[in-house]
Structure formats: C-alpha cells, structure tokens
Amino acid sequence: MSLIANHFILSEIAKSIRSLSIDAVEAAGCGHPGLPLGCADIVAVLYANILRQDPNNPKWVNRDRFVLSAGHGSMVLYSALHLAGFDLSLQDIKNFRKLHSKTPGHPEFRETPGVETTTGPLGQGVAMAVGMALGLKMNEARYEMTSQGLLDARVYVLAGDGDLMEGVSSEACSFAGHLALNNLVIIYDSNDICLDGPIDECFTEDVQKRYESYGFRVDIIDGHSFDDIENALKRSKTSEKPTLIIAKTIIGKGAPTVQGTSDVHGKVLGTSEADATKSFHQIPSTTPFWVSDDAYSFFAQKKNEQQLAHRQWEIAFANWSKKNPGLATQWESSIAHFVPNHLLEKLDALQIKANFPTRQSSNAVQQLIAEELPQVVVGSADLSCSDNTLLKVGGVVKPFQYHGRNIKYGVREFAMGAISVGLSLQGMTIPVCGTFFTFSDYMKNAIRLSALMKVKVIYHFTHDSVFLGEDGPTHQPVEHLAALRAMPGLTVIRPADAHEVRGAWATALTVDGPVALILTRLAAPDLSVTSSAAVSKGGYVVVKESRNHVDYVLIATGSEVDLAVKAAADLDSKGYSVRVVSLPSFELFDAQPEAYRRDILLYDQPVKKYVSIEAQSSYGWHKYVGRDGLCISIDHFGASAPADVLRKEYGFTPEVIVDRIIKGA
Ligand SMILES: Cc1ncc(C[n+]2csc(CCOP(=O)(O)OP(=O)(O)O)c2C)c(N)n1
C-alpha cells in the first residue's frame, strides 16, 4: 500500500511550492511567478500521489516522466524536485537564475537531477513528451514486456495555452492520438491568460473538441481541487487513449491585485504583493524560503518507499534477464549506447553499388546498422521512399503494435524532430529521421534542442543542393549548410561517395550528440580516392599535388568533390600543381589538432589560391579559403530546370571552374 498524501499534506506541499517560487523569483529579481502560483496544487498531487520515481536514481528507466512544457514556470518544478528529495538543495533554490546554478531560468536537461528535458520553446515539451511515450511503448514491445509491467512508465506533461497554441504540439498530438499512446497525459493549465493579455484576444477554439478529434480522452477539472486533479489522473491510467486534462486554474492565485491577469505571468510580485500572497495562502512571511515540516517529512517517508519500489523492480528485472539473456544483453547495450567494434568493421567491408547517389548508399548502410543495432529506429516525414530511410527489418509502428522499426510521421517535420529528441531522451533508442534538406528549416528548433542537450538524433537530409533540379527553388537548399554549421553542438557531415557515407555513419554512431547527414539524390561516382576512415577527421587529401610546389588547394564537399577532382586533373594537364581536399565535416575537421589542419590545408607553404567548391552559400567558407580565396558557390535562390541545365547556368562544370580558378575570380 503506497503512501498517499491527504488534503492537509497536499495543501502543505502546495503552500511550500508557492512559498519557494515567490521567494526565488523575488530574490532573482526576475522570473515567472504566475504559473507556479496557479499550478502548485496540480504539481503537489503529481509528486505526492501519482509519479513513480526514485529521487535517489533519477535515471531509473521505468520512472514516470514529468515534463514541464511551460518551461517559464520552472520554479514550480524546482520546488517540487527539492521537496521530493532530488539532489536539489534549498541553497540551489536560492540560486535561481544565477550563473552555473542547478536552477537556470528555464529547465535544462543535464543541469538538474529530475529535469527530463530542456523546455522553454513552447510546444516542444509536449512533442518531446510524445517521443518519450512512444519510446516507452516501442521498447516495451521490443523487449516483450507488455504483460510484465517492467517498462510501463507513464509520461505526464504540464502545458499552458502557449504550448497548445504552437503548431508543433498540434502535429505531435495528432500523431500521439493516431498511435493511441495511452501512457501520455497532458495537463493543460487553462488559465485564460497568456503573456500579452487574455487569451480570448488570440485563442478561442474549442480545445476539447480538437483533442477529442485527435483521439484523446479529455477531462475538464477544477485545477485547484485536489480531488478533481487526483481523480482525473487516476482515470487516465485506465484509458485506451492518451489523455488531455483541461485544468481550469487562476494564474498567480492568491496575489491580490494581479491574480488572473497577465501582469503576474512574468514579473516579480514586489514585497508587498508577495507578502499579501503569502498571507492569502497562510504561508509564514517572516521566514524567507519557508517550507512546511509536514511536507518535508511526508516526502522523506515517500522517498524510502520509492527506493523500495525501485529495488523490487530491479529484482523482477534481474529475474527477467535470467530468463531472457539475449534480450537482456541488447537492453544493456541500448542503454549504454554501445556500438560494437564488429559493426564498424562490417560497415567498412560493406560493398555498395558504384555510382549510387549518397542517399541510396546511406540506405544500404542503414540496413546493416539496423540488423546489428536493434535500438536504431528510423522515420520520415512522408518521404521515406525518396529520402531513403525505410528499413527492411521490423515493419511500421502502428496503434497498439509498437514493435516496428519504421515510424511514419506523416507530413509533420517539426514534430518529427521534437519526437525524435523525446525518443532519444527516453534512453533506449537511437532515432534517425529524414526529409528533404530544405525542410530542415521546419525542424530547426528541435535540432537546436538536441544540440543544446547533447542527445543523439541522426538527421537524414537529402536533396542537398539546387541540383535536385525541376522541383525548383522552394525545394532547393541554399543557406542550409551554413545555418546548420553555425549551430553549436551539431555535427554536420556531407559525404562525397559511398566510402564517405560508410564513414559518416560510423562517425554518426560514435560521436557525441546529434549529427546531420547531408545527402544527394544525384549519382555520386565512386571516387575511389575518398576514404571511410578519414571521415572521422572531417577533412583529408583526396588528390595530392603532382609537383613540389602547390598552386591551388581545392576544398570541396559532397557531390562537388567529384567536380574538384575533375577540375584538378584539367588544371594539372595545363601545368598547375593542385591539391584537392575533401571536407565532409567542418566540425570534425576543426576539432583536429592544429598541426593536422595546417598540414592538410598547406597553411605553412605558399599557395597561389585557395578555392572552395560547394553548391550552397559561400557563408562560412572564408575561414578556410581566406579573404582572398575563391568561393565557387550558390549565393542566390535556384530555379526549376533539369540539373544539367542548372549546372551550366550556375557554372558548376569542370570547364567553368577551371577557367574561374585560372582567372582567380
Ligand atoms: C516558441 C515560444 N514563443 C514564445 C515564447 C515566449 N513566451 C514565454 S511564456 C509565453 C506566454 C505563454 O502563455 P501561457 O502558456 O498561457 O503561460 P501562462 O501565462 O499561463 O504562464 C510566451 C509568449 C516562448 N517561450 N516560446
């Protein structure tokens, strides 16, 4: 029989959350008191009576996840984590919003035990939670645990009006409803207020009907009634559908002059309003950062109980492991993100048809990886037959049949990105997701969150230049490589041929954090000079100069390496000495020792001209070619025409390139 907080204890917990939130925001001189004051009752019920967690082991794989999608209300989460006994001290609470604190302005993954994901960009918390819920379902099916309760954790989200207004949550919830993810519960803090004022000025749809049409079960409750909250959360456990609980709350509850208005959303209360709010909630105002002793002692007991439950799970898991040694080994390797050496060796030996476009070589590589690594799951935003992400193994993930390895996200790129981040955060999956490179813009902020959190997602972007042809400029990426290369923490790899594709995948599996593979739909001749192993260094010599001096260093990526090699041969025949460098990844190359980089790019000897050749924007290339270098690039939108016509139009032929190099402009 588990320990249940009664109304008295729940109100002591809610008071403590409000007290800590008021004082932390006052001490920081900034922050968002409105949400914590409005949602303290909901969060009290969740942490006291609903969530199955072990604060001593915040990474326990079968823990319930709580995602504060409305990340601006971070103090409600920090207060709850402190009370529940996570490693977050009162001093940490006092350091709210200070440099290097465990309590940054918005929750940040890896900074605070118990914070499941970084949130703040509204809507994405909901979408990442969908990914976590899907990850739990997929792994429960993969490890045949459906009837055993060993991976039956649930995902709870607290979302505000802003989250539900954002398109990404609509995409993700439409998808969650389709897949019947009944382990997902979204609590909607429906307080009728957003940052700029009342929501009836901008958001008047019927949310209940919308979510019902997605396939959710919807409850409407009083978000300040402990019974309503608890009953709705309990009802969600028996639903065959995901649940939306519309909780009617008062933003800034108890703040006498600002409650129920946008003035309490994101401004400090000030001393007299803070005191009056405390007095309304019967919080002693003489003790700053007051916490109820009853709340502390309830959670102290609860923590022991939670630890025991976790230990019992470990015993049951050990029994399961004995009976299922093969699956147990897979389980451990999935959690450890282990990539066996023999896979890398097999990858290196994989024979790929000559002249395959890199998107197709990549598909051949994926089949091998998927056979060896069951944790790899692949999905596409309705382009799998074109971005070449379909796996032969495993089938498609379907409602109530989650064992598939292919996820059909439909045309929902942003949600695909955020759901993939959630899949990765669940901890047992390496998600791969694909679309045309130009639509990476739709996913951009999800990619950014994966980079910020350093979580592994492999983005599979194809149709990587204007030379995709007739679809025209809407589909032709131009500024996209520069934009992704500018993102800290993301490794961008644009391989030139099948050898480099193999190397790109080996790196994608082993390097820390997210990776974007940039691939072409055009035939990529087997250059035979490129190398799988060298990709991990980001750049290497593919054609060595034929004389003792060097006139030109040509640096190219992807499909333009072939062009560079051809141009170099022509220049050589005209008496010039030329080196060609393939540079599939700026990030990997920049991480090499300086001596290596100087050696590859010949920075210590006189070179007449450095030339970059890449069918995208020149932005960023001058760091390699220098101010006087020549960038053969596409710095304008493309056009609808066959690829060969565009090549001539934009001067991407060996003849024009050679001519420009000799002229130096
Ligand atoms: C994508 C995104 N756009 C804008 C913001 C800035 N912002 C933070 S909170 C907020 C208002 C959200 O309103 P609501 O969800 O109702 O929160 P409440 O006022 O109830 O706290 C806005 C616009 C953001 N964090 N993320």
Side-chain angles (χ1 to χ4, degrees):
M1 181 62 192
S2 71
L3 188 63
I4 294 294
N6 59 24
H7 278 204
F8 168 71
I9 295 294
L10 287 172
S11 75
E12 289 298 292
I13 296 168
K15 271 161 65 175
S16 305
I17 291 173
R18 289 185 168 111
S19 155
L20 293 177
S21 301
I22 292 170
D23 285 338
V25 172
E26 291 298 309
C30 57
H32 298 77
L35 186 148
L37 287 169
C39 293
D41 303 313
I42 295 168
V43 173
V45 174
L46 270 171
Y47 275 82
N49 289 348
I50 300 294
L51 295 178
R52 178 183 60 205
Q53 299 189 324
D54 176 3
N56 285 332
N57 291 281
K59 293 282 164 203
W60 173 27
V61 69
N62 200 29
R63 70 190 181 280
D64 288 338
R65 275 78 171 163
F66 174 65
V67 175
L68 179 68
S69 190
H72 57 280
S74 54
M75 266 316 303
V76 82
L77 175 57
Y78 299 147
S79 307
L81 292 174
H82 168 69
L83 292 169
F86 286 79
D87 181 14
L88 196 70
S89 67
L90 203 55
Q91 188 55 48
D92 291 322
I93 299 284
K94 292 179 183 170
N95 290 343
F96 180 49
R97 289 181 161 243
K98 296 214 172 101
L99 185 65
H100 302 314
S101 75
K102 283 169 150 181
T103 46
H106 290 81
E108 286 183 41
F109 182 63
R110 295 186 198 280
E111 301 297 328
T112 318
V115 168
E116 300 286 354
T117 179
T118 296
T119 51
L122 294 172
Q124 280 191 83
V126 173
M128 289 187 283
V130 170
M132 293 177 196
L134 178 61
L136 286 163
K137 288 276 184 203
M138 288 177 75
N139 283 295
E140 188 185 38
R142 175 167 318 134
Y143 292 101
E144 298 160 19
M145 286 178 160
T146 312
S147 56
Q148 305 175 49
L150 285 171
L151 199 57
D152 60 353
R154 299 171 64 71
V155 182
Y156 296 88
V157 188
L158 183 58
D161 299 299
D163 288 297
L164 267 58
M165 281 189 255
E166 285 289 353
V168 66
S169 66
S170 311
E171 291 177 20
C173 288
S174 157
F175 183 67
H178 158 73
L179 282 181
L181 299 178
N182 67 349
N183 55 349
L184 175 73
V185 182
I186 301 171
I187 306 157
Y188 166 29
D189 171 30
S190 173
N191 58 23
D192 301 331
I193 293 293
C194 53
L195 193 151
D196 264 353
I199 59 158
D200 62 12
E201 293 174 346
C202 57
F203 189 47
T204 46
E205 70 191 31
D206 189 329
V207 171
Q208 176 181 2
K209 283 195 185 137
R210 174 156 69 95
Y211 270 76
E212 280 170 351
S213 81
Y214 289 158
F216 275 59
R217 193 183 156 277
V218 180
D219 248 329
I220 303 183
I221 62 162
D222 172 355
H224 298 298
S225 154
F226 293 135
D227 287 339
D228 266 23
I229 300 164
E230 189 150 342
N231 290 336
L233 288 168
K234 283 187 178 151
R235 277 195 295 275
S236 77
K237 293 189 179 178
T238 54
S239 171
E240 292 228 315
K241 301 173 173 181
T243 295
L244 178 75
I245 300 173
I246 302 178
K248 297 307 298 181
T249 63
I250 300 169
I251 189 170
K253 186 171 192 243
T257 67
V258 287
Q259 71 167 353
T261 76
S262 57
D263 284 340
V264 73
H265 161 90
K267 287 188 207 125
V268 285
L269 295 173
T271 315
S272 65
E273 186 83 3
D275 284 348
T277 311
K278 286 185 185 177
S279 150
F280 175 86
H281 290 292
Q282 297 172 347
I283 297 165
S285 60
T286 43
T287 318
F289 295 93
W290 172 87
V291 174
S292 151
D293 288 340
D294 292 304
Y296 270 148
S297 64
F298 169 81
F299 278 116
Q301 282 182 64
K302 178 103 193 162
K303 197 168 162 179
N304 290 336
E305 187 186 278
Q306 288 167 316
Q307 208 169 2
L308 198 65
H310 180 190
R311 239 179 264 140
Q312 282 164 349
W313 177 90
E314 277 179 342
I315 294 166
F317 181 76
N319 285 336
W320 173 86
S321 298
K322 258 191 226 138
K323 287 187 207 138
N324 301 279
L327 285 175
T329 311
Q330 273 183 25
W331 172 290
E332 297 301 340
S333 341
S334 295
I335 288 184
H337 290 304
F338 176 66
V339 179
N341 273 336
H342 74 257
L343 167 60
L344 299 177
E345 283 157 19
K346 276 193 183 174
L347 255 182
D348 233 18
L350 182 70
Q351 293 298 317
I352 300 177
K353 239 175 155 176
N355 298 333
F356 253 15
T358 52
R359 64 171 172 161
Q360 269 170 276
S361 313
S362 179
N363 185 264
V365 173
Q366 280 171 68
Q367 307 303 339
L368 172 68
I369 290 173
E371 274 166 31
E372 296 283 332
L373 296 180
Q375 64 268 41
V376 169
V377 301
V378 170
S380 172
D382 199 34
L383 284 170
S384 64
C385 49
S386 191
D387 63 33
N388 291 70
T389 45
L390 203 66
L391 295 181
K392 291 181 188 146
V393 288
V396 174
V397 175
K398 296 187 179 135
F400 306 108
Q401 292 172 37
Y402 303 104
H403 51 267
R405 304 278 297 276
N406 292 286
I407 304 174
K408 293 208 163 183
Y409 287 103
V411 192
R412 300 182 181 102
E413 289 84 3
F414 193 3
M416 172 173 75
I419 290 170
S420 298
V421 177
L423 281 169
S424 188
L425 286 166
Q426 187 273 326
M428 302 172 72
T429 299
I430 300 176
V432 180
C433 61
T435 184
F436 292 167
F437 192 22
T438 193
F439 302 134
S440 63
D441 285 340
Y442 274 51
M443 310 165 58
K444 191 78 174 306
N445 207 266
I447 303 174
R448 188 171 193 269
L449 281 187
S450 67
L452 180 59
M453 288 192 267
K454 302 185 178 72
V455 298
K456 175 73 76 201
V457 176
I458 299 176
Y459 302 99
H460 197 268
F461 295 133
T462 61
H463 299 63
D464 67 349
S465 77
V466 294
F467 300 123
L468 63 85
E470 291 87 339
D471 274 340
T474 53
H475 285 50
Q476 296 165 345
V478 171
E479 73 282 21
H480 297 73
L481 273 168
L484 288 194
R485 284 172 181 154
M487 189 183 287
L490 177 71
T491 303
V492 182
I493 313 180
R494 186 170 185 243
D497 69 357
H499 305 284
E500 286 198 8
V501 167
R502 289 192 310 233
W505 270 100
T507 302
L509 291 174
T510 46
V511 81
D512 279 342
V515 174
L517 301 178
I518 313 300
L519 304 156
T520 173
R521 71 182 285 257
L522 303 169
D526 183 342
L527 295 167
S528 66
V529 284
T530 56
S531 149
S532 154
V535 172
S536 65
K537 295 199 158 89
Y540 62 101
V541 177
V542 292
V543 177
K544 211 170 152 27
E545 56 281 5
S546 58
R547 299 167 178 86
N548 284 337
H549 72 284
V550 174
D551 295 302
Y552 301 113
V553 175
L554 313 186
I555 316 169
T557 76
S559 32
E560 284 73 68
V561 177
D562 177 44
L563 211 48
V565 170
K566 287 182 177 135
D570 194 11
L571 285 164
D572 191 72
S573 72
K574 290 183 164 65
Y576 297 101
S577 180
V578 184
R579 170 176 283 208
V580 179
V581 172
S582 176
L583 200 76
S585 173
F586 283 21
E587 298 79 18
L588 296 171
F589 186 67
D590 292 350
Q592 298 309 307
E594 192 183 349
Y596 177 82
R597 288 180 278 131
R598 299 192 79 83
D599 185 44
I600 296 294
L601 293 179
L602 294 177
Y603 282 154
D604 296 316
Q605 68 182 72
V607 168
K608 202 182 284 179
K609 198 153 234 23
Y610 285 90
V611 181
S612 69
I613 311 177
E614 186 173 72
Q616 285 231 358
S617 160
S618 59
Y619 200 93
W621 270 104
H622 286 281
K623 73 172 167 174
Y624 299 117
V625 300
R627 205 175 52 175
D628 298 325
L630 172 64
C631 291
I632 295 179
S633 50
I634 307 274
D635 287 298
H636 49 78
F637 290 123
S640 168
D644 285 342
V645 174
L646 292 176
R647 278 190 185 287
K648 287 201 185 93
E649 179 74 8
Y650 299 143
F652 268 71
T653 59
E655 303 74 40
V656 176
I657 287 172
V658 166
D659 197 43
R660 284 188 66 186
I661 291 173
I662 294 172
K663 281 193 193 130

